[in-house]
Amino acid sequence: MSEPHCVSASDDHPNQFALLRQRRFAPFFWTQFSGAANDNLFKFAFTVMVTYQLSVSWLPPAMAGLVIGALFILPFLLLSATAGQLTDKFDKTRMIRFVKNLEIAIMLVAALGFWLGQVPVLLLCTFLMGVHSTLFGPVKFAYLPQVLSERELTGGNGMVEMGTFVAILLGNVAGGLLVALPGVGHGAVALACLALALVGRVLAQYIPGAPATDPGLRVNWNPFTETWRNLRLAHGNPVVFRSLLGISWMWFFGAVFLSQFPSFAKEVLHGNEQVASLLLVVFSVGIGTGSLLCEVLSRRHVEIGLVPLGAIGMSVFSIDLYFAARGLPPPTGLMAGAAAGYYSLGGFLAQPAHWRVMADLALLSLFAGLYSVPMYALIQLRSQPTHRARIIAANNILNALFMIASSLIAGALLGAGLTVPQVFLLTGLANAVVAFYIFMLVPEYLLRFVAWVASRFIYRFQVRGDAHIPATGAAILACNHVSFVDAVLLMAASPRPIRFLMDHRIFQVPVLGWLFRLAKAIPVAPQKEDPQAYQAAFDAAAQVLREGDLLAIFPEGGITRDGQLQPFKGGIVKILERAQMEGVQAPVVPMALTDLWGSFFSRIERGQAMVRPFRRGMFNRVGLHVGPALSGAEVTPEGLHARVADLLAAP
């Protein structure tokens, strides 16, 4: 089934904020923003109410937050699989409006609960709001790839991630302030929750239609068998499934920090409740900033090379947070009176040592944003459209399991006598181990990271015409061969993974050879030298095209020794003929790497490369020109050579 794609000329918007002026995104963004704010306003106000204002014998204050959190997350475990099926089966806009209608009904009951101070009613509403969020989760992430192009997907996810954390922060702040209003607090919370639900429903009315991707799906109402089926469905795509595990680990990581902020503020930083709130603000702003930076750093593509960068930052700054907390001087200038022994907000900020703590929190959360947004975008891009919502439902199930595990493990560590900073240290070290394991399982993350670094910190890399690289389907990328890092630069230019057909001798180069083996590049040797390896290379190339992937070749057959474009060999025609015999019509995309001759990795030094590291200084400006695709049937070595030569000569 082809996927509906509501993308227009607005693909050329200057940045992700321009999406807020477009109907396909803005009503959806503000609908999910109001829903996230309402969830957290309700939960936090209810938590404060049963902790400080009501005396309920069967719900002690120390257990209130735990019970409310558990009730809210329970539907994610029970109903995510059903929610994924419904989202695939029905129009997503119709689902959003149904969920918003449900939210209004829940908030009417909750308003009565707040007004009468009925804790059982509010506990029921907590569970129902969890149901509301469970139903909305798959819709939220399945809607975006249906209405945004690949070039907008990272920015759109960044905006949603940022908006969610800002909404969580504002909801918590508003809930705490409103419930504390003398005499009218409960009524104010009831009205605010109902008003947000109504606003969300009005906004949902303006979301354009997003047709069902699998309308013939038969819904399995058994949540247990369907949950298992969803997990198996996700497991069928290794890259997607391991990305789901990566996102779930991020929620584990974040839950450890968020759950320990009150204890960290009180016992380690000697701060009052305002200091604990400040830590939440810093963390939320960091996540939002990292999410928004993704589009800038990815050049408006789904750039999973940012994921290792995010993982490195998460570990570095969580480990440094331990040392920053351990090195705090004895507290001075503490508050007097009822809050004796604790810093006020002003007193906390007046201590220079505390700024390192806040910087670590801001940076580890910023890198968490860089880590998570590309993973979400990759899952949306690589999941089969007819199954996308169910894959996202599997993600929600895994997220819930990992968050529960984080609470149990953190509680066990604290119960064993570890301090909060020591828990942070262990989490940072564990993050490094888990991230390394995931990147070894899915080398594409590491390869994209190397390509991202090379194209931004070794070279100033500019790509022209990258829209000609097909977003889906088999294709051959044909490029001139100037240096040992040509393949790395092509990786950086393509939003999709590429398999390379490369001279077998390049695999003998230290580091680069290991990198290309990790990328599953296909070694090709001259037919006279090794006929068996020659034939195996063409068999592997045909397999790549049969599977609908990108194959890159360097038709010159080797790296140029004089900087000039060499004659193209006939191997590309053989590959095309083999593909056509198997029913695969693969277009050929001509490419030209420019300004690489004379760089460290080219053979300018009497046929040798990597001799003078700073021959051209730092941050050399290099480029890639991509031309329109050619039909495989019209490609000849001479004609393709002329196309690449024209791209090299282009200004």
Side-chain angles (χ1 to χ4, degrees):
M1 177 183 294
S2 63
E3 183 178 11
H5 209 65
C6 309
V7 180
S8 65
S10 54
D11 283 1
D12 299 324
H13 70 273
N15 57 55
Q16 60 216 49
F17 293 102
L19 290 170
L20 291 175
R21 298 193 297 271
Q22 298 172 22
R23 188 184 166 199
R24 62 197 169 114
F25 184 81
F28 164 79
F29 174 85
W30 292 114
T31 299
Q32 70 85 29
F33 185 95
S34 66
N38 209 9
D39 280 345
N40 288 276
L41 189 156
F42 169 80
K43 284 193 300 175
F44 195 71
F46 181 29
T47 304
V48 170
M49 189 176 84
V50 296
T51 303
Y52 294 101
Q53 298 175 357
L54 297 179
S55 178
V56 184
S57 59
W58 49 270
L59 186 61
M63 292 293 295
L66 181 62
V67 170
I68 290 170
L71 275 175
F72 186 81
I73 206 169
L74 183 59
F76 284 91
L77 292 174
L78 298 178
L79 301 174
S80 285
T82 304
Q85 293 179 90
L86 295 174
T87 301
D88 279 333
K89 182 175 178 63
F90 297 110
D91 183 297
K92 291 169 185 58
T93 304
R94 179 180 168 189
M95 279 291 296
I96 292 171
R97 291 170 185 166
F98 169 78
V99 170
K100 292 293 112 179
N101 289 337
L102 177 63
E103 184 182 1
I104 292 172
I106 296 168
M107 286 299 103
L108 283 170
V109 178
L112 182 64
F114 276 116
W115 194 268
L116 301 177
Q118 288 294 314
V119 173
V121 172
L122 293 173
L123 288 173
L124 171 64
C125 291
T126 301
F127 177 82
L128 293 175
M129 283 303 284
V131 173
H132 154 270
S133 296
T134 300
L135 292 172
F136 191 76
V139 183
K140 178 169 73 171
F141 287 109
Y143 174 85
L144 289 177
Q146 201 164 331
V147 300
L148 301 181
S149 69
E150 184 273 331
R151 293 174 64 85
E152 298 170 311
L153 203 51
T154 294
N157 275 284
M159 290 293 290
V160 169
E161 189 89 345
M162 176 276 300
T164 299
F165 274 88
V166 171
I168 289 170
L169 178 62
L170 293 178
N172 283 331
V173 171
L177 292 175
L178 290 174
V179 78
L181 291 174
V184 296
H186 295 185
V189 170
L191 290 174
C193 288
L194 186 56
L196 277 172
L198 290 169
V199 167
R201 179 59 183 88
V202 171
L203 290 166
Q205 196 61 35
Y206 293 94
I207 300 174
T213 51
D214 191 4
L217 175 69
R218 293 185 63 182
V219 176
N220 173 16
W221 295 101
N222 185 324
F224 303 104
T225 58
E226 188 60 28
T227 293
W228 180 246
R229 187 183 299 173
N230 277 16
L231 292 173
R232 289 185 60 189
L233 185 66
H235 192 264
N237 186 326
V239 172
V240 168
F241 184 71
R242 287 160 185 168
S243 298
L244 296 181
L245 293 177
I247 288 175
S248 297
W249 170 256
M250 192 276 293
W251 282 103
F252 179 105
F253 179 93
V256 169
F257 285 87
L258 288 169
S259 65
Q260 297 307 316
F261 278 166
S263 297
F264 185 59
K266 180 180 179 181
E267 298 170 10
V268 179
L269 302 178
H270 304 285
N272 63 5
E273 296 89 338
Q274 292 178 330
V275 173
S277 297
L278 175 66
L279 300 183
L280 176 62
V281 170
V282 169
F283 192 87
S284 300
V285 169
I287 287 275
T289 303
S291 301
L292 293 178
L293 281 175
C294 286
E295 185 183 62
V296 177
L297 295 175
S298 66
R299 292 176 178 157
R300 296 184 60 204
H301 279 300
V302 176
E303 181 50 86
I304 62 174
L306 294 177
V307 175
L309 177 67
I312 292 168
M314 288 161 67
S315 283
V316 167
F317 291 106
S318 55
I319 292 169
D320 189 68
L321 181 61
Y322 163 75
F323 290 104
R326 196 174 119 178
L328 290 174
T332 59
L334 300 180
M335 293 178 66
Y342 298 106
Y343 284 112
S344 65
L345 184 59
F348 175 81
L349 294 173
Q351 300 295 320
H354 294 155
W355 285 90
R356 178 180 170 187
V357 171
M358 289 192 296
D360 282 332
L361 273 178
L363 288 168
L364 75 86
S365 58
L366 183 149
F367 280 98
L370 293 179
Y371 174 94
S372 64
V373 168
M375 273 196 173
Y376 275 118
L378 179 73
I379 290 166
Q380 293 165 336
L381 198 63
R382 300 280 180 88
S383 297
Q384 188 176 340
T386 54
H387 297 80
R388 186 181 286 136
R390 278 167 281 173
I391 298 293
I392 293 163
N395 179 55
N396 290 341
I397 295 165
L398 290 171
N399 289 350
L401 291 171
F402 273 65
M403 290 171 72
I404 291 169
S406 79
S407 299
L408 296 175
I409 293 172
L413 291 174
L414 293 169
L418 272 68
T419 64
V420 173
Q422 287 172 335
V423 171
F424 290 167
L425 173 65
L426 287 178
T427 304
L429 293 172
N431 180 71
V433 173
V434 170
F436 180 77
Y437 176 69
I438 290 174
F439 301 148
M440 288 299 98
L441 284 177
V442 189
E444 188 181 345
Y445 284 109
L446 189 59
L447 294 167
R448 297 287 305 194
F449 176 62
V450 172
W452 184 82
V453 170
S455 63
R456 286 160 177 80
F457 296 102
I458 297 176
Y459 297 111
R460 286 181 293 170
F461 186 48
Q462 184 176 18
V463 182
R464 291 170 53 186
D466 57 338
H468 295 307
I469 301 174
T472 58
I476 298 176
L477 312 180
C479 189
N480 60 323
H481 208 357
V482 192
S483 77
F484 284 100
V485 294
D486 293 352
V488 174
L489 294 176
L490 293 189
M491 283 184 215
S494 171
R496 296 171 60 192
I498 304 173
R499 293 285 301 279
F500 290 89
L501 193 67
M502 302 174 70
D503 189 321
H504 70 293
R505 289 168 294 187
I506 204 169
F507 291 85
Q508 299 169 10
V509 178
V511 181
L512 287 175
W514 170 80
L515 191 67
F516 295 140
R517 278 190 288 272
L518 195 64
K520 298 181 180 178
I522 303 166
V524 59
Q527 188 172 19
K528 293 180 181 179
E529 181 180 322
D530 190 339
Q532 191 171 5
Y534 178 82
Q535 186 57 44
F538 283 94
D539 291 341
Q543 177 68 20
V544 171
L545 297 177
R546 272 200 309 273
E547 293 174 354
D549 294 327
L550 295 179
L551 174 71
I553 67 171
F554 300 101
E556 294 165 277
I559 299 173
T560 179
R561 292 180 178 271
D562 59 6
Q564 301 302 309
L565 186 65
Q566 308 300 307
F568 283 8
K569 300 185 182 301
I572 187 169
V573 175
K574 182 175 179 178
I575 293 171
L576 287 167
E577 289 174 349
R578 173 80 175 270
Q580 288 165 2
M581 286 173 58
E582 298 182 4
V584 179
Q585 301 296 325
V588 177
V589 181
M591 296 178 160
L593 284 162
T594 61
D595 299 321
L596 266 170
W597 180 249
S599 70
F600 175 57
F601 295 101
S602 66
R603 286 176 158 168
I604 195 170
E605 306 292 346
R606 298 180 182 178
Q608 299 297 313
M610 295 175 277
V611 176
R612 294 171 56 188
F614 302 107
R615 188 178 203 288
R616 290 191 353 189
M618 298 287 288
F619 307 113
N620 307 158
R621 186 183 296 277
V622 300
L624 176 69
H625 294 180
V626 185
L630 307 171
S631 166
E634 63 181 288
V635 168
T636 63
E638 298 76 19
L640 186 59
H641 183 281
R643 289 293 185 104
V644 174
D646 289 342
L647 291 172
L648 282 170

